[in-house]
Amino acid sequence: MRAKISIAMAALCGGVSWAQAADELRSTLDDQVEVAVTVYNQDLALVKDVRKVVLAKGTNKLAFREVSARIRPETALLRGLTQPSDLTLIEQNFDFDLLTPEKLLEKFVGQTVSLVKVHPTTGEETTEEATVLSAQQGVVLKVGNRIETGAAGRLVYHSVPANLRDRPTLVVELDSAAGVAQQVELSYLTSGLSWRADYVAELSPRDDQLDLNGWVTLTNASGSPYNNARLQLVAGDVNRVRDELAETRVRKMVAMEAAAAAPAFAEEGLFEYHLYTLDRKTTLADNQTKQIALLSASAVPVRKELLLAGADYYYMASYGDIGQKMKVSSFVEFQNKPQSRLGMPLPAGVVRVYKRDASGRAQFIGEDRVDHTPKNELVRLKLGEAFDVTADKKQTDFKKLAGSSQYNYVSESEFEIKLKNAKSEAVTVTVREPIPGDWKMLQESHPHQKVAAGTAQWQIAVPAEGESLLKYRVQVRQ
């Protein structure tokens, strides 16, 4: 549709909102006293908006403008703070049909507008009355006895439908026992607000310590700003019914110990979750991503591990060669304890790890996602695959001893794992093999540990620019 759309403003004078009824009391962000926002991990936030309003005695229609465009109206709750007993709620309506040229045209289907055309040479304007027949994929007009599409000119509307708003607005009808100024609080749940944790770690030259910094990344796409807001974040998996937040009783617990460096957020237990409260107010502008420091800790002790993980399928049949130059994975892990200069419950997020090269430049060496990690728990990060450490694995013998099906099968198999190290320093490789069924180690070149019911593990030292050979024979009974 090439027609330019203009709006006749004669009916909109006096500062009255386009969709505001004559008896409607409008509240904007200028009336806001304070706002608090609690953001959850799952695209969910609780907003508490306190405003100062002057209500007339009797029935009032209070229009809360500039609420979240993604508010869940069924969760909205208005209460008086100054004189709570003086207010009685009657009904509420959320008007989210916003004024746009397209919406305005849709509302005028079947009604009359003015079509203004300008002569391309003289600039003279001519006006004709037209009826809007359709606003689907363009505009169809009836002008006199003819039908026009793609009309060149502009459409002039002489009014704006009452059900169109220029801002998302929650209209609450309530009864006030007295006509006084008071503070009211509107609380509601909304989507469009989310947060995540991001961590940056730097490994020491010897890979035995790291410096860890945590950031909170907030995104506001709710359609409304939150100016000078009290900000709180909830970490944990909150149960929701049909996309709604399940109602829960909340009880506060003792605050946990913070990280060594003073964080911007204070942390405390909240029911079965963790609550992080920013120690200052902040503004969340609409369509904005903001980062705030969460924690900082230095010289955190870490343990590096090179791991060759196997599989259980080759214990039940003859396979021969299993793999050449198999990748050995690299991990680092640390304890989230006060003794490790941490001890703050860590929200789920991505940890990106760096290490300085010989010239002192920080280089990215891998990243991993961690789940919510309580105090005193282990944090384990997979950074990638080792370049200079590889393995060759083969099955050197297999014997079926008894059985005719998978339920009474007995076998013996022998394996050889050659670990090769091209580094200029010695390394230790953890070899972890998941062995099915009821198993018994018959022979082995290195002692194993039974770390779980179905898992055998070896720690194999591999010399610099050398290799080590692990051989073992195992009996498996299904």
Side-chain angles (χ1 to χ4, degrees):
M1 183 184 68
R2 296 183 178 179
K4 295 181 179 179
I5 300 176
S6 64
I7 300 175
M9 302 298 293
L12 310 179
C13 60
V16 180
S17 170
W18 287 318
Q20 182 183 351
D23 59 346
E24 185 177 278
L25 173 63
R26 183 175 62 170
S27 175
T28 69
L29 291 182
D30 292 335
D31 305 323
Q32 195 174 76
V33 177
E34 65 174 5
V35 61
V37 182
T38 302
V39 188
Y40 297 79
N41 287 125
Q42 303 135 309
D43 187 30
L44 184 71
L46 172 63
V47 177
K48 293 185 178 181
D49 187 347
V50 178
R51 300 188 186 184
K52 185 176 182 179
V53 297
V54 180
L55 299 175
K57 184 177 181 180
T59 301
N60 293 260
K61 283 188 176 180
L62 178 60
F64 262 79
R65 286 166 53 82
E66 294 148 320
V67 298
S68 168
R70 301 177 67 179
I71 183 177
R72 297 184 175 181
E74 69 277 10
T75 68
L77 175 63
L78 182 71
R79 66 188 184 101
L81 301 181
T82 308
Q83 299 180 24
S85 60
D86 286 354
L87 298 183
T88 303
L89 300 182
I90 301 173
E91 69 173 43
Q92 63 187 29
N93 301 284
F94 178 52
D95 296 338
F96 55 86
D97 214 0
L98 301 184
L99 179 64
T100 64
E102 293 77 12
K103 284 288 185 181
L104 187 59
L105 186 61
E106 289 177 9
K107 298 296 182 182
F108 267 81
V109 171
Q111 300 185 48
T112 300
V113 297
S114 294
L115 176 60
V116 180
K117 295 183 178 181
V118 179
H119 194 280
T121 304
T122 65
E124 181 183 0
E125 288 190 353
T126 58
T127 302
E128 295 181 275
E129 294 298 311
T131 301
V132 182
L133 299 181
S134 175
Q136 298 296 319
Q137 300 179 359
V139 60
V140 180
L141 300 175
K142 181 179 181 182
V143 185
N145 294 323
R146 66 185 189 274
I147 306 298
E148 290 194 16
T149 62
R154 69 180 190 272
L155 300 180
V156 178
Y157 303 87
H158 301 287
S159 64
V160 175
N163 55 352
L164 283 183
R165 298 263 183 182
D166 62 331
R167 295 283 192 278
T169 303
L170 184 74
V171 182
V172 181
E173 187 173 343
L174 52 85
D175 187 74
S176 176
V180 296
Q182 63 173 300
Q183 291 186 7
V184 295
E185 179 190 75
L186 176 66
S187 61
Y188 57 86
L189 293 175
T190 179
S191 57
L193 282 159
S194 60
W195 75 278
R196 70 177 189 273
D198 290 284
Y199 303 92
V200 175
E202 183 176 315
L203 269 179
S204 65
R206 298 182 61 182
D207 299 339
D208 59 349
Q209 292 182 338
L210 61 75
D211 296 335
L212 182 66
N213 291 283
W215 293 86
V216 166
T217 301
L218 293 124
T219 301
N220 179 14
S222 68
S224 176
Y226 305 93
N227 301 318
N228 296 316
R230 290 187 290 111
L231 178 64
Q232 294 181 299
L233 310 174
V234 174
D237 301 317
V238 179
N239 185 51
R240 297 162 68 184
V241 179
R242 293 184 182 177
D243 245 6
E244 302 298 331
L245 178 67
E247 295 183 2
T248 58
R249 273 187 162 180
V250 175
R251 53 185 174 85
K252 291 187 177 181
M253 299 163 57
V254 180
M256 298 292 188
E257 296 180 55
F265 286 89
E267 184 276 334
E268 63 181 280
L270 179 73
F271 190 59
E272 297 302 324
Y273 319 116
H274 283 278
L275 179 70
Y276 300 82
T277 302
L278 186 62
D279 60 2
R280 57 182 172 80
K281 291 184 177 181
T282 188
T283 294
L284 303 177
D286 189 29
N287 293 322
Q288 181 189 63
T289 295
K290 176 187 289 286
Q291 285 193 307
I292 304 173
L294 175 65
L295 63 89
S296 179
S298 59
V300 178
V302 300
R303 186 180 78 88
K304 178 182 175 182
E305 182 181 49
L306 296 175
L307 175 66
L308 178 68
D312 61 2
Y313 68 88
Y314 42 72
Y315 287 90
M316 303 303 297
S318 179
Y319 276 91
D321 188 28
I322 297 173
Q324 299 290 319
K325 295 182 180 179
M326 299 177 71
K327 298 291 187 180
V328 176
S329 300
S330 61
F331 292 83
V332 295
E333 59 183 35
F334 57 89
Q335 296 286 343
N336 184 24
K337 294 182 176 180
Q339 301 93 307
S340 300
R341 302 175 180 86
L342 287 171
M344 178 182 185
L346 303 178
V350 175
V351 184
R352 295 172 177 88
V353 184
Y354 296 80
K355 185 176 179 178
R356 296 191 180 274
D357 59 21
S359 61
R361 299 184 182 91
Q363 303 292 345
F364 177 68
I365 59 173
E367 65 182 10
D368 200 4
R369 183 176 298 277
V370 295
D371 202 351
H372 300 301
T373 304
K375 178 183 175 181
N376 297 326
E377 288 290 332
L378 180 72
V379 178
R380 184 173 171 85
L381 308 173
K382 181 178 180 180
L383 300 186
E385 311 294 343
F387 185 93
D388 292 318
V389 183
T390 59
D392 297 338
K393 181 186 292 188
K394 62 182 176 180
Q395 187 186 60
T396 57
D397 191 25
F398 178 81
K399 291 181 179 179
K400 179 181 176 182
L401 302 180
S404 57
S405 71
Q406 60 177 331
Y407 302 106
N408 60 3
Y409 201 82
V410 182
S411 66
E412 282 185 15
S413 50
E414 188 169 298
F415 297 89
E416 183 178 288
I417 301 176
K418 182 183 293 185
L419 298 167
K420 295 178 287 186
N421 176 22
K423 290 176 174 286
S424 58
E425 69 270 4
V427 299
T428 298
V429 178
T430 300
V431 178
R432 185 174 299 151
E433 287 290 321
I435 306 176
D438 181 12
W439 58 274
K440 179 172 64 174
M441 195 67 63
L442 302 176
Q443 298 173 359
E444 56 186 338
S445 60
H446 299 71
H448 78 281
Q449 285 183 304
K450 190 174 183 178
V451 294
T455 306
Q457 183 170 290
W458 294 265
Q459 298 292 331
I460 309 298
V462 188
E465 298 182 357
E467 60 184 44
S468 294
L469 188 65
L470 169 63
K471 299 178 69 175
Y472 64 96
R473 188 177 187 88
V474 65
Q475 183 182 97
V476 176
R477 183 188 301 271
Q478 285 290 82

